[in-house]
Amino acid sequence: MRKGSILLIGLLSMSVSTTWAQSSEFETAKEAVANMAVGWNLGNTLDSNSGDTLNMWIEHWTSRTPSDYEKAWGQPVTKASLMKMFKDAGFNAIRVPVTWYPHMEAKFSFTSSSNSIWYASKDDLGTEIKTAWMNRVKQIVDYVIDAGMYCILNVHHDTGASNTAWLVADEDIYSQQRERFEAIWTQIAEEFRDYDEHLLFEGYNEMLDVKDSWCFASFAASGGYDASIATSAYNAINSYAQSFVNAVRATGGNNAQRNLIVNTYGACDGSGNWNSHLQDPLKQMKLPNDEVANHIIFEVHSYPDIQNLSSAKSQLTTTINNLKTHLVSKGAPVIFGEWGTSTDNAYDNYRSNMVNFYRYFVEQTKKNDMGTFHWMGLSDGDNRSVPKFNQQDLVDAIIKGYYGDGGYISGIEQVESENEMPADNEKVIYYLSGRRVNHELAKGIYIINGKKVVIK
């Protein structure tokens, strides 16, 4: 039996109630990152949107139901069975990206049968989220948590490089959008206030400056850097992060201590050495002030080029060290909320490199107490409806990177009944047959009456 196994306290394969009583004390951010183990993104689903004010095609050519958006970018309507498949494979967390702006108060009224232009200045977003959309978001969150996993819920393509993005890393735009941003998070937080520590909130996704600069703020400006634009962008990122924390905490209940996630500028991870400003997003990121200690997580994204495997591994080591120096040192753990490879053809042309790097990536991030959420892939398109994995080799690399050569089930001890559970001096709580039970149990993974239980 493996001592000290992490993950969650509870029965992994049974349905768990998603309406939770007030928790006396949530696990810390660091504990949550460890317990989430490895994660996956339910991408191109609830985050789907038209993405262009000059061609609002979803709004123009569909009935704008939740399923119209959910299927708009080529993915099927999400089923609970998909989450169970990921759980059974050894994943313990799902990030659910959500784009909110199409589901607010804008009417998206077009002037002709061929006109799909949205004039945002005349057709305002408002602040209210539509009930039907919130209900579908809640249903998918419940799928994740009922499968026994952690769920991260965020504000996604309301940020980014498209001209529909209304959350921009700029001090003036922050001042203009602060009320709406806080109103959205107030509504989300109130909807999920009673959920326990298995639900985390992420304030915003990849927020960019007024020039849509990637890599670091003002990179897209004339000359490759503009100190004024950069300063405004970093100040704004920290202001959005603070507003997010304030809005969620103000709703009370379990939100008073829920673990919250804030991204660096552009979710940049500071990797590379080709420009002296690459680590600015890490250096300029502040830990938000919080009324409770140890409940904030920093997030970055990483899509390295793995054509040169040795170079990619070396860069990962440097990136992790920089994250520890510039983020972890500020008092919060780090997760890679999105990661994968930098080129679409890498899977076909560099398959062996991918498998090798995937395992190495997870091994190294786990070793350094950082969480990982693979961006999409693994199960894609119609495969999600079956459900089945269409990149099983990558799934295996991720799982073995975290759990070792034996995979998820290695080291599990077979126990015929709860009375035969081994004991030590540590009192823990777990769920068995739908009821909360106190026992003197050793840490580890067990099979009890055919069901898998993890005690941390």
Side-chain angles (χ1 to χ4, degrees), residues 213-234:
S213 303
W214 294 102
C215 301
F216 56 85
S218 83
F219 175 49
S222 177
Y225 183 75
D226 183 301
S228 177
I229 293 174
T231 298
S232 179
Y234 295 128

Side-chain angles (χ1 to χ4, degrees), residues 269-273 279 302 304-323 336 353 356-358 360-361 364-365 368:
D269 68 353
S271 62
N273 56 12
Q279 292 183 48
S302 181
D305 185 338
I306 51 88
Q307 296 183 43
N308 184 320
L309 187 58
S310 177
S311 177
K313 289 182 176 181
S314 177
Q315 179 59 66
L316 177 61
T317 298
T318 301
T319 298
I320 288 174
N321 287 337
N322 288 336
L323 292 171
F336 287 85
N353 277 15
N356 189 309
F357 183 77
Y358 268 48
Y360 184 80
F361 187 93
Q364 295 305 305
T365 50
N368 288 279

